[in-house]
Amino acid sequence: MCVDCNCGQPVAPAIEAPRHLELGQRLLVHNDAQAAANREHFAAAGVRVINLLSSPGSGKTALLERLALALAPSSPAVRHPMAVIVGDLATDNDARRLRAAGVPALQITTGQACHLEAAMVHRALHELDHLGHPLEGLELLVIENVGNLVCPAAFDLGESQRVVLLSVTEGEDKPLKYPATFHSADVVVISKGDLAGACGFDAPQARRNVARVAPQARIVEVSARSGEGIAALLAALGLERVAVAG
C-alpha cells in the first residue's frame, strides 16, 4: 500500500455529487435596507420625495429653481414647502443657487463617487433637521442626484418617485442608450423645450423612444426658462394642491 496515494486501499463508497450552496448576498443589500428605512421615515413625515436623475448639464437645477418659484408661499413668513439635497462630485454651486431662490438646500460633495447612496441621504436628513428644516415641515424633498445616467439607477434612496430628465440638446436616442435609467423612471421630463427648434429635436420620436424602454413613465415637456409645462409637471408629481395652497 502506498502511503502517498493510498493505492491498494478498499474502494471508497460512492459519494453524492457536490452541491452548490449560495452563501453570498446582494451587493446592494445594505443600501436597500437603508433605503427602506428612509422610505418609512418619509412616509411617517408625510413628505413626497423625488430622486432626480439626468446627465450633466440637462437642466436639473434650473428646473428646480422654476419649481421653487411655482411652489413659493405667498407670505415670506411661511416656510417654503420644498427642500433639496444636492449631490455633486465637487463644489456647492447648485446648492447656493437654490438657496438664493429661497429653497433650503444641502450639498453632498461625493468626491469620486458618481452617485448618491441611501446612507448619504440619511445623514443629510439629520443635517437638514439641525439647520431647522425637519421633514415634518416639508411637502416635497428633492434629491438632485449626481449627473450620471449609469450608476444612480441602481441605488434606491427611499424616494416616492424617480424623475429622469432628457434635455432636447442630448438627442432623441438617449433613452435607448441608457435604458436602465429610463426604465426606472416614474416621470420623464423633456427639458429645455425652448431650444427644441434650434436643436432640431424630434419630440414625437423622443416620446416613442421613452415608451419603448419605460412604458409606465409619464412624459412631460417643459422649459424652465419660460415656465411652459411646469403646471403639467406639478400634476405629474401630484403637487397641484401645494402650488395652489402656496
Side-chain angles (χ1 to χ4, degrees), residues 193-218:
D194 52 296
L195 299 178
C199 295
F201 184 75
D202 186 342
Q205 184 60 52
R207 285 177 169 269
R208 288 192 290 271
N209 290 342
V210 171
R212 283 180 59 183
V213 298
Q216 80 289 344
R218 295 184 64 173

Side-chain angles (χ1 to χ4, degrees), residues 5 19 22 64 78 104 221 233 235 240:
C5 67
R19 291 179 296 170
E22 181 61 62
L64 292 179
V78 178
E221 298 180 42
L233 177 57
E240 311 100 311

